[in-house]
Amino acid sequence: MSQLPNKHHRPEATYRSCSQSLPLDILWLPRSSFRPAEGELADCVLVVGVSRPKLAAALLSVTLLSLFLTFHVLYDSALYSIQAASMASAASENRKMLLSQESDTRTISHPMALRKRLRPPKQPRPARRLPQALIIGVRKCGTRALLEMLYLHPMVQKASGEVHFFDRDENYALGLEWYRSKMPLSFKGQITIEKSPSYFVTPEVPERVRAMNSSVRLLLIVREPVTRAISDYTQLRSRATPSVPAQSQSTGQAIANTAKPFEHLAISPDGSINVAYRPIAISLYHAHLHRWLEVFPREQILVVNGDQLIEDPVPQLRRIEKFLGLEHKIGRKNFYFNETKGFYCLRNDTTDKCLRETKGRKHPRVDPTVVTKLRKFFIQHNQKFYDLVGEDLGWPED
């Protein structure tokens, strides 16, 4: 009986037919050497074996380098994707925050604009600034009261005392930096005000003020001239002392003058008005204002009615706030009438304040005929002043 051939059996010749001559050490084995599998199979299986060490090392290096490059590309790709997603999320959050903080929807085309908008604001710092407004006079017309009233405004800072920078040569020689050092600390946007009443009557002052700031605002407070002259005399008399230094003849003469009655000082022995007497000379407002109007335009000088400021401060202060470009902040809530002193005192959110005892001192009695004579003398001078300021202040003429 003939024997059927096994399908997994291969004749010996097959081994010889699988042998090939290749440059590598490669072994071809017959399929029958492995586990049988269903279906038609190839006659030979390739088994690679590298018997040369240098070639094996080269192949291993190439394989490892390929794996490294593959993993590096995959890592960079994953990292870029994560960063892109994070940046997109942050940009979305910034846009939401910006839209929630702003009522308007303006488009920002430049990336620096968004950076500036999100940057926290710098804290303002106070500094000493040269005054933007000056109370130039007039003496005994309420300059101190005016300054204290304006100081009620939150946007006003004041010099603590009369600096006398422009009217005293020894101070002016020290320069603007010395003057600045006498000013209070203020924030940007606030107005610094200094007052020295003798500025108004000192000839050199207008040019010196313009040299500092040609756009400075000037406040000139005036009162009825005869009343002002009597008030001036009253203050000079209160400062007189009984002892006179022997070496000071001029000082002795001034004290001797204050010892005389006002009538004897204001009226010359021949019955004419003594215009050389300083309280009378200062009340000739038009003579001094002329010098200022030669240097500054009229719109930079505000004339404040001192008599009305005493009787009702608020209307005059409203005019001043507008003149200085300030919002109206000072009102009747800031004042109360002091029955003992006879004038208004100041009030803010924390305290009440009246001027010093030396302010509002009682005037001596002056002969009514002298008062009438002085008022008649001042009629023409007052009219010249009215013409300069463009306003009739209605001062009495008898």
Side-chain angles (χ1 to χ4, degrees):
M1 181 172 64
S2 61
Q3 187 178 8
L4 296 174
N6 191 327
K7 65 178 180 178
H8 299 294
H9 177 71
R10 295 290 184 271
E12 188 65 27
T14 304
Y15 291 93
R16 291 190 297 271
S17 62
C18 288
S19 299
Q20 303 292 333
S21 176
L22 296 175
L24 299 176
D25 294 335
I26 299 175
L27 178 64
W28 292 88
L29 296 178
R31 176 66 65 178
S32 59
S33 301
F34 297 92
R35 182 177 58 84
E38 298 295 332
E40 190 67 25
L41 300 175
D43 291 337
C44 301
V45 175
L46 177 65
V47 177
V48 180
V50 181
S51 60
R52 300 175 186 176
K54 292 183 179 180
L55 183 59
L59 290 175
L60 181 61
S61 298
V62 171
T63 303
L64 293 176
L65 181 61
S66 299
L67 289 175
F68 172 78
L69 293 176
T70 301
F71 281 113
H72 184 70
V73 170
L74 292 175
Y75 173 79
D76 286 348
S77 177
L79 184 62
Y80 177 80
S81 299
I82 293 173
Q83 290 178 342
S86 176
M87 291 175 63
S89 176
S92 176
E93 290 297 325
N94 285 338
R95 274 195 300 272
K96 290 180 181 180
M97 181 177 66
L98 185 62
L99 291 174
S100 65
Q101 291 179 347
E102 296 183 351
S103 57
D104 58 337
T105 56
R106 291 174 289 181
T107 303
I108 302 175
S109 58
H110 196 280
M112 288 302 294
L114 179 61
R115 181 179 297 178
K116 290 179 181 179
R117 190 176 288 270
L118 297 178
R119 185 180 299 164
K122 294 182 179 179
Q123 294 296 326
R125 293 183 179 181
R128 300 188 190 278
R129 296 174 171 84
L130 294 173
Q132 298 95 343
L134 292 174
I135 299 176
I136 59 175
V138 177
R139 170 184 167 88
K140 303 312 299 174
C141 287
T143 55
R144 171 57 61 182
L146 176 59
L147 183 64
E148 295 296 337
M149 290 176 183
L150 290 176
Y151 189 54
L152 293 169
H153 199 289
M155 296 304 291
V156 170
Q157 293 291 348
K158 64 180 178 69
S160 58
E162 296 177 3
V163 183
H164 291 285
F165 175 67
F166 297 104
D167 61 316
R168 294 181 181 174
D169 294 340
E170 64 272 20
N171 289 342
Y172 191 69
L174 296 175
L176 286 177
E177 288 307 311
W178 177 86
Y179 187 42
R180 189 196 306 272
S181 71
K182 300 299 181 180
M183 295 300 108
L185 292 172
S186 64
F187 290 99
K188 186 177 181 181
Q190 289 185 313
I191 293 179
T192 299
I193 301 179
E194 188 252 324
K195 75 104 178 172
S196 293
S198 53
Y199 288 167
F200 181 61
V201 298
T202 306
E204 300 83 8
V205 170
E207 288 288 354
R208 290 177 175 181
V209 171
R210 183 174 65 175
M212 177 197 71
N213 182 2
S214 61
S215 61
V216 67
R217 294 287 177 171
L218 304 172
L219 298 172
L220 177 65
I221 181 170
V222 294
R223 293 181 66 189
E224 190 275 312
V226 178
T227 303
R228 195 220 68 83
I230 296 172
S231 179
D232 201 350
Y233 164 80
T234 304
Q235 177 167 306
L236 291 173
R237 189 178 68 170
S238 69
R239 292 179 177 177
T241 58
S243 60
V244 181
Q247 69 273 17
S248 178
Q249 183 177 357
S250 59
T251 303
Q253 182 64 37
I255 295 175
N257 283 342
T258 57
K260 296 179 180 179
F262 175 78
E263 295 88 341
H264 293 179
L265 296 170
I267 307 298
S268 299
D270 62 359
S272 62
I273 305 299
N274 183 12
V275 294
Y277 181 47
R278 189 162 179 78
I280 299 296
I282 292 176
S283 290
L284 298 172
Y285 301 142
H286 69 92
H288 310 292
L289 184 59
H290 263 298
R291 286 196 299 267
W292 287 89
L293 292 177
E294 289 174 356
V295 177
F296 290 96
R298 173 67 183 87
E299 56 269 19
Q300 276 183 236
I301 304 175
L302 180 68
V303 177
V304 181
N305 191 322
D307 298 308
Q308 293 183 6
L309 185 73
I310 295 173
E311 295 175 1
D312 187 6
V314 175
Q316 292 296 310
L317 292 171
R318 287 295 178 92
R319 292 178 60 232
I320 299 171
E321 287 175 322
K322 182 178 180 181
F323 175 71
L324 296 177
L326 296 172
E327 184 180 353
H328 294 312
K329 291 288 187 181
I330 306 173
R332 301 196 182 278
K333 67 181 183 301
N334 297 116
F335 300 95
Y336 68 96
F337 191 78
N338 188 306
E339 296 290 346
T340 303
K341 291 181 174 291
F343 52 79
Y344 283 93
C345 294
L346 315 180
R347 171 178 291 157
N348 57 24
D349 295 335
T350 58
T351 185
D352 297 345
K353 178 180 180 180
C354 284
L355 299 180
R356 300 193 305 267
E357 294 296 329
T358 56
K359 302 299 180 181
R361 62 171 60 90
K362 187 178 179 180
H363 292 177
R365 182 186 180 279
V366 177
D367 186 343
T369 60
V370 173
V371 172
T372 300
K373 186 171 184 175
L374 286 171
R375 283 178 173 168
K376 289 185 181 296
F377 165 79
F378 275 105
I379 290 176
Q380 59 175 332
H381 297 287
N382 291 344
Q383 187 58 53
K384 291 179 180 179
F385 180 70
Y386 298 162
D387 294 340
L388 288 177
V389 301
E391 179 183 1
D392 188 336
L393 298 178
W395 289 325
E397 299 180 355
D398 53 21

